[in-house]
Amino acid sequence: MKLKPTARFSTRCIHAGQEPDPATGAIITPIYQTSTYVQEGLGQHKGFEYGRTQNPTRMALEANLASLESGLAGFAFASGMAAIDALLTRLESGDHLVVSDNTYGGTFRLFERVRRKFGLDFSYVDTSRLELIEPAITPKTKYLFLETPTNPMLRVTDLAAASEIAHQHNVRVIVDNTFASPYIQRPLELGCDIVTHSTTKFLNGHSDSVGGVVVVKHQDDLEWMKFVQNAAGAILGPMDSWLVLRGTKTLPIRMERTNANATAIAEYLKGHKKVQSVIYPGLPDHPHHALAKKQMHGFGGLISFDVGSIDVARAVLPRFKLMALAESLGGVETLISHPAVMTHASVPPERRAAIGITEGMIRISVGIEDVDDLKEDLEQALA
Ligand SMILES: Cc1ncc(COP(=O)(O)O)c(C=O)c1O
């Protein structure tokens, strides 16, 4: 069973990185739950020495995700944050990064409260405004770290144009592609250099695993990530690797339904009299709608809307019956959250205000339930 190099995205989702198990012919890659491998003699082994260094289930997932992101190689980590942290080990004290200002709160916390202590420097700009990127680059800048669409403001950065600007200054571009998934956008094909994901979200898709991945396209990045994944050791375990590998098989059909459901719900909220504003890149009044249409394949599953105040938000949120009040996103089930109190609590209030995160803002991660049931839940909660 050999996958042709011309195999299309949906086919690669199901097959890339996976061969029938050589021992039994099992069509599904087994969970190799082992810490070590028996060697036939000194230095004689089958390419597997120790579980941190090599694991067949993890390696199948890494090859699968590298294929989906059109990269050279993938490296799976214990969480999305572990993946981002591993990327920072490419840098040395004194190096600088330009970062999307509305980046995930946990990324901001890692940069500011952990890595700044080790001499890294970060500047935050609204990268959806391309004219702000170049002035933020210094002779010490090594990476442009982009998130698009952002959470929860859903701002969109032009990945091809931003990469061109960065490359003129020998700056490499990392994209946290968690919110889109490779079904919706593939940054490496647009000129970016590295992609990272919290696989916890759309890639796993079933809210039953926490993990992260880095996909690279340059040989020197590959060498370093391979080294540091083993040296620092924040690897994804076999069981979680298997869960994500199972998840990516259905990524295209999940994302198609996600796109359709989210578009319908954004339109529904837009017409609701208790909702003050709706942010969704698929709505024609979204400031980056045209770019999103060009760069993305569908507009994704995240919608933010404003009910006016924290008091109204506090009253509405417990009323949902089908949608669950929970952090995270990208699962088959619809989740709602309150960014200011939940996902962005670690972002100082003045920064939240500057980014536009209001106290009345509610975010939905739209799942793949029947859209009419989701609308009915919104209707009764907002009534
Ligand atoms: C955009 C983004 N990047 C990274 C992360 C971190 O991922 P994890 O929770 O798997 O560590 C998250 C988590 O919500 C996220 O939303």
Side-chain angles (χ1 to χ4, degrees), residues 175-204:
V175 180
D176 182 337
N177 203 23
T178 300
F179 261 50
S181 89
Y183 174 83
I184 286 188
Q185 91 198 347
R186 290 187 284 281
L188 301 185
E189 292 178 8
L190 298 170
C192 306
D193 302 284
I194 297 173
V195 164
T196 185
H197 281 274
S198 165
T199 60
T200 315
K201 311 296 173 353
F202 289 106
L203 291 174
N204 167 268

Side-chain angles (χ1 to χ4, degrees), residues 78-82 84 104 107 147 151 176 178-179 197-201 210-212 328-329 343 363:
S79 68
M81 290 321 305
I84 294 172
Y104 168 59
T107 304
E147 221 180 284
N151 173 25
D176 182 337
T178 300
F179 261 50
H197 281 274
S198 165
T199 60
T200 315
K201 311 296 173 353
V210 172
S328 202
L329 60 115
T343 49
R363 190 198 73 187

Side-chain angles (χ1 to χ4, degrees), residues 73-353:
F75 300 91
F77 292 91
S79 68
M81 290 321 305
I84 294 172
D85 196 47
L87 271 171
L88 296 182
T89 63
R90 274 295 264 154
L91 301 174
E92 287 175 15
S93 174
D95 285 344
H96 172 253
L97 293 92
V98 177
V99 183
S100 293
D101 64 348
N102 177 209
T103 196
Y104 168 59
T107 304
F108 179 75
R109 177 175 56 197
L110 171 71
F111 289 178
E112 289 302 310
R113 300 199 33 208
V114 182
R115 287 295 167 178
R116 206 176 259 289
K117 278 205 310 183
F118 294 85
L120 293 185
D121 189 18
F122 306 88
S123 300
Y124 301 89
V125 297
D126 178 357
T127 51
S128 70
R129 293 176 58 198
L130 290 171
E131 72 278 12
L132 299 183
I133 295 176
E134 194 157 42
I137 294 175
T138 75
K140 292 282 195 185
T141 308
K142 292 284 165 37
Y143 285 132
L144 172 62
F145 187 99
L146 301 175
E147 221 180 284
T148 177
T150 58
N151 173 25
M153 299 308 294
L154 304 170
R155 288 195 201 126
V156 182
T157 293
D158 186 329
L159 292 174
S163 293
E164 239 172 74
I165 295 166
H167 291 161
Q168 280 163 13
H169 299 270
N170 283 326
V171 170
R172 284 193 177 172
V173 181
I174 301 172
V175 180
D176 182 337
N177 203 23
T178 300
F179 261 50
S181 89
Y183 174 83
I184 286 188
Q185 91 198 347
R186 290 187 284 281
L188 301 185
E189 292 178 8
L190 298 170
C192 306
D193 302 284
I194 297 173
V195 164
T196 185
H197 281 274
S198 165
T199 60
T200 315
K201 311 296 173 353
F202 289 106
L203 291 174
N204 167 268
H206 294 76
S207 309
D208 54 12
S209 157
V210 172
V213 72
V214 170
V215 178
V216 299
K217 76 174 186 193
H218 304 293
Q219 188 64 31
D220 59 334
D221 285 328
L222 180 156
E223 303 296 342
W224 179 260
M225 292 313 298
K226 190 174 171 168
F227 170 76
V228 85
Q229 185 190 41
N230 182 51
I235 49 159
L236 190 64
M239 178 73 195
D240 288 286
S241 298
W242 185 87
L243 287 166
V244 182
L245 200 53
R246 187 189 55 172
T248 59
K249 288 180 193 295
T250 56
L251 180 69
I253 53 169
R254 283 189 286 109
M255 293 316 292
E256 274 165 33
R257 172 69 86 92
T258 300
N259 280 338
N261 277 3
T263 301
I265 286 176
E267 280 161 6
Y268 163 81
L269 287 170
K270 191 86 194 145
H272 199 290
K273 59 180 186 318
K274 299 234 172 105
V275 174
Q276 300 200 343
S277 60
V278 184
I279 311 175
Y280 185 62
L283 291 174
D285 67 356
H286 186 283
H288 310 135
H289 177 63
L291 170 62
K293 212 167 163 178
K294 185 180 84 171
Q295 178 167 281
M296 300 164 69
H297 180 53
F299 302 101
L302 281 303
I303 302 170
S304 297
F305 66 102
D306 204 310
V307 291
S309 71
I310 184 106
D311 293 336
V312 179
R314 273 194 209 285
V316 166
L317 287 168
R319 294 173 55 95
F320 284 96
K321 294 194 167 78
L322 179 59
M323 301 187 186
L325 179 63
E327 296 203 7
S328 202
L329 60 115
V332 289
E333 57 288 290
T334 299
L335 303 182
I336 44 163
S337 65
H338 186 272
V341 172
M342 296 167 75
T343 49
H344 285 64
S346 61
V347 177
E350 60 283 2
R351 252 189 79 75
R352 286 203 300 264

